[in-house]
Amino acid sequence: MSDVYVRTARPEEFSAVGELTVTAYRVDGYLEQEDGRRYSRSLQDAARRAEHGQLLVAVDGEGTLLGTATLVGPDSALAEMCVDGEAELRMLAVAPHARGRGVGETLTTAVLDLARERGATRVVLCTLAEMTRAHRLYERLGFTRVPSRDWYTDAGRLLMAYTKDL
């Protein structure tokens, strides 16, 4: 979208990025279960995401935060499933007020471009089964479901794997 720009998050934005991420997940009901409430601490900690990965934000022409995504490599403390040669998309979130503007697609495309620039041959991600809106986005952008790479959280919630070769 012409009015959505992606860049690296600035330290002074980390708190707001964390709040945006938690809000986006909470509005969609993904933090209701006990493990979701624990996960909200990770979502809130944007500074840690910036320390262990590339924390991206989507902003409009006035600099208003619209969304965020994190790209990590296999050596990152935040990597959940990527291996050598892969990069992993983590914690994609779009502010409720910015939905329907292509923010999620713009962020995901930026992650793919950045992973390619860094020499990754594939981008991987995992997503909850109930995140059907995200599934449609990933599939539209060429990601493929890979059930053999699915895994379960400690609380027994299924995380579905998707990959995209670059």
Side-chain angles (χ1 to χ4, degrees), residues 76-89:
S76 171
L78 299 175
E80 291 183 321
M81 62 179 292
C82 65
V83 297
D84 286 342
E86 296 178 336
E88 187 170 341
L89 170 60

Side-chain angles (χ1 to χ4, degrees), residues 103-132:
V103 175
E105 182 171 343
T106 301
L107 279 162
T108 304
T109 300
V111 164
L112 294 170
D113 292 343
L114 183 57
R116 192 176 293 111
E117 288 171 20
R118 292 184 173 183
T121 59
R122 178 181 297 122
V123 172
V124 300
L125 63 90
C126 56
T127 177
L128 291 169
E130 59 266 30
M131 294 179 165
T132 56

Side-chain angles (χ1 to χ4, degrees), residues 14-137:
F14 291 169
S15 178
V17 170
E19 287 298 322
L20 180 153
T21 310
V22 170
T23 298
Y25 277 62
R26 184 172 289 130
V27 163
D28 288 333
Y30 302 139
L31 301 179
E32 299 304 314
Q33 295 183 6
E34 183 178 335
D35 62 328
R37 290 189 294 273
R38 284 193 308 266
Y39 188 52
S40 68
R41 288 189 292 275
S42 295
L43 296 172
Q44 180 69 46
D45 195 351
R48 183 169 188 261
R49 294 196 314 250
E51 178 183 352
H52 294 285
Q54 183 77 38
L55 179 63
L56 300 176
V57 293
V59 297
D60 64 16
E62 287 77 46
T64 303
L65 289 174
L66 305 174
T68 183
T70 304
L71 177 69
V72 301
D75 58 341
S76 171
L78 299 175
E80 291 183 321
M81 62 179 292
C82 65
V83 297
D84 286 342
E86 296 178 336
E88 187 170 341
L89 170 60
R90 296 288 322 274
M91 301 177 191
L92 174 66
V94 177
H97 68 82
R99 293 182 179 175
R101 295 175 55 186
V103 175
E105 182 171 343
T106 301
L107 279 162
T108 304
T109 300
V111 164
L112 294 170
D113 292 343
L114 183 57
R116 192 176 293 111
E117 288 171 20
R118 292 184 173 183
T121 59
R122 178 181 297 122
V123 172
V124 300
L125 63 90
C126 56
T127 177
L128 291 169
E130 59 266 30
M131 294 179 165
T132 56
R133 187 179 322 143
H135 303 168
R136 287 190 300 272
L137 168 67

